[in-house]
Amino acid sequence: MSEIFERFNLTGKTALITGAAGLLGIEHAAALLESGASVVLTDIDTAGLSSASEKLLSSVESTRVVTQVMDVSQMSSIITTAREIENKDLRIDILVNNAAIDPKVKEDKGMIETSRLENFPLEQWDMQMAVGLTGAFLCSQVFGSAMARNGKGGIILNIASDLSVLSPDQRLYRQDNVDENMQPVKPVTYSVIKAGLIGLTRYLATYWIDKGVRSNALSPGGVFNGQSDEFVQRLSSLIPMGRMAQKNEYRSAIQFLCSDASAYLNGQNIVIDGGRSVL
Ligand SMILES: NC(=O)c1ccc[n+]([C@@H]2O[C@H](COP(=O)([O-])OP(=O)(O)OC[C@H]3O[C@@H](n4cnc5c(N)ncnc54)[C@H](O)[C@@H]3O)[C@@H](O)[C@H]2O)c1
């Protein structure tokens, strides 16, 4: 293998991905497998985990993909996973904090539009925060501590969003013939969680660096996933490249950020958004 490719080589490493049954989780896993790592796929969606693992196993040997139901908002669930991993004699070298609740913006049929700041329910705030931000903290606490303790170091990668650096453009979600106070919006939680993850990334980047644990964030722009033509057109018009991302376009970034290819990168937020955030 050439020296360049050797820096990306993850043979012998194990990566744990949260929210691995979702659209991007499985892509992150495929990228890491391609670089030679083994993966522990975790999610609350049991059926989704099985189908993700089935897809991935069609191209790699079975020992390299492990699945584990894990709720990132519950410390007990994370500890159980850590024990299971230990029982399997695995060591987590890479943690990808990817799980999130991304409520799709849609017309609310009720009497009020609950996505709007004025009406946003505290239970939704708490629930989304528990998964997207507290979940990343708890997983870093458990798996990051283990990386710091075991003398091998590791990498924590937080999956944020272009909305970690941009305010949502609420015009994207506007609906015709709907009153102003009933217009749906991207909820406040998404912006707060994604900006919070960047703070967590910076904190972690220095906390265990003497133990060889690096931390960075990846901020993807919107991925095309069958959204309406109107939405795609509106969003594409805000992106210099004139289109949304394909779901596999973050794979190389994952391979870079989770390997020695990025050995001197620490505490940064890599925004990959077709140029949207430079406008
Ligand atoms: N898809 C995009 O356009 C896009 C753009 C920018 C950033 N992101 C970010 O990328 C990440 C992945 O996004 P996605 O599009 O794959 O989302 P997704 O909704 O397809 O997947 C999220 C996964 O998280 C899981 N999950 C929910 N609650 C959980 C919990 N309590 N514990 C464990 N897992 C839980 C879900 O079951 C789901 O499988 C998210 O952090 C998202 O904010 C996505």
Side-chain angles (χ1 to χ4, degrees):
M1 195 182 286
S2 80
E3 214 175 292
I4 296 173
F5 289 120
E6 194 50 46
R7 286 184 212 125
F8 287 87
N9 187 0
L10 293 176
T11 305
K13 305 281 184 196
T14 303
L16 185 145
I17 302 159
T18 69
L23 180 71
L24 289 183
I26 187 166
E27 294 294 324
H28 306 332
L32 293 164
L33 284 166
E34 195 183 21
S35 295
S38 296
V39 294
V40 179
L41 310 176
T42 70
D43 205 291
I44 47 167
D45 178 356
T46 312
L49 271 181
S50 307
S51 95
S53 137
E54 209 172 295
K55 276 185 210 146
L56 293 166
L57 282 172
S58 60
S59 51
V60 298
E61 59 273 35
S62 60
T63 49
R64 288 178 56 205
V65 180
V66 171
T67 59
Q68 175 73 33
V69 175
M70 180 176 90
D71 182 342
V72 295
S73 68
Q74 302 297 325
M75 189 53 149
S76 55
S77 178
I78 300 171
I79 301 260
T80 304
T81 299
R83 290 210 182 107
E84 291 285 330
I85 286 168
E86 223 177 278
N87 292 341
K88 290 188 170 87
D89 272 337
L90 292 171
R91 182 192 70 227
I92 300 304
D93 306 290
I94 299 161
L95 167 66
V96 183
N97 284 317
N98 169 75
I101 296 177
D102 181 10
K104 300 298 169 232
V105 179
K106 57 183 186 321
E107 197 178 345
D108 194 317
K109 302 286 180 225
M111 298 297 285
I112 59 165
E113 173 48 52
T114 54
S115 64
R116 298 191 67 82
L117 186 73
E118 297 86 339
N119 308 324
F120 197 70
L122 179 59
E123 314 83 75
Q124 277 296 319
W125 171 280
D126 287 341
M127 202 242 294
Q128 291 173 30
M129 213 60 83
V131 176
L133 192 52
T134 313
F137 154 65
L138 293 176
C139 289
S140 303
Q141 193 174 44
V142 171
F143 299 110
S145 301
M147 289 174 196
R149 265 196 318 268
N150 69 23
K152 305 273 183 196
I155 292 171
I156 300 175
L157 179 63
N158 294 315
I159 306 299
S161 158
D162 55 0
L163 295 188
S164 68
V165 294
L166 291 171
S167 180
D169 188 332
Q170 306 291 12
R171 291 171 302 181
L172 287 171
Y173 312 104
R174 277 194 78 81
Q175 292 175 352
D176 293 337
N177 306 318
V178 171
D179 283 353
E180 215 44 48
N181 61 0
M182 289 296 281
Q183 286 290 346
V185 293
K186 189 79 172 176
V188 60
T189 34
Y190 200 77
S191 292
V192 174
I193 288 166
K194 295 310 186 184
L197 282 175
I198 305 310
L200 179 66
T201 302
R202 292 199 187 107
Y203 188 93
L204 293 171
T206 60
Y207 194 76
W208 289 309
I209 199 60
D210 57 334
K211 308 280 192 305
V213 181
R214 291 191 289 127
S215 176
N216 287 295
L218 171 64
S219 279
V223 178
F224 177 70
N225 188 27
Q227 294 92 339
S228 72
D229 289 348
E230 192 180 8
F231 177 82
V232 173
Q233 266 166 29
R234 283 183 189 173
L235 179 52
S236 300
S237 73
L238 301 176
I239 301 172
M241 287 180 71
R243 64 174 179 86
M244 295 178 73
Q246 298 297 317
K247 63 182 180 184
N248 62 4
E249 285 187 294
Y250 301 108
R251 284 190 185 195
S252 317
I254 293 285
Q255 291 165 336
F256 170 68
L257 290 165
C258 294
S259 69
D260 282 350
S262 62
Y264 198 55
L265 189 75
N266 191 28
Q268 298 304 314
N269 179 20
I270 305 303
V271 183
I272 302 188
D273 63 353
R276 180 178 172 192
S277 58
V278 300
L279 281 179

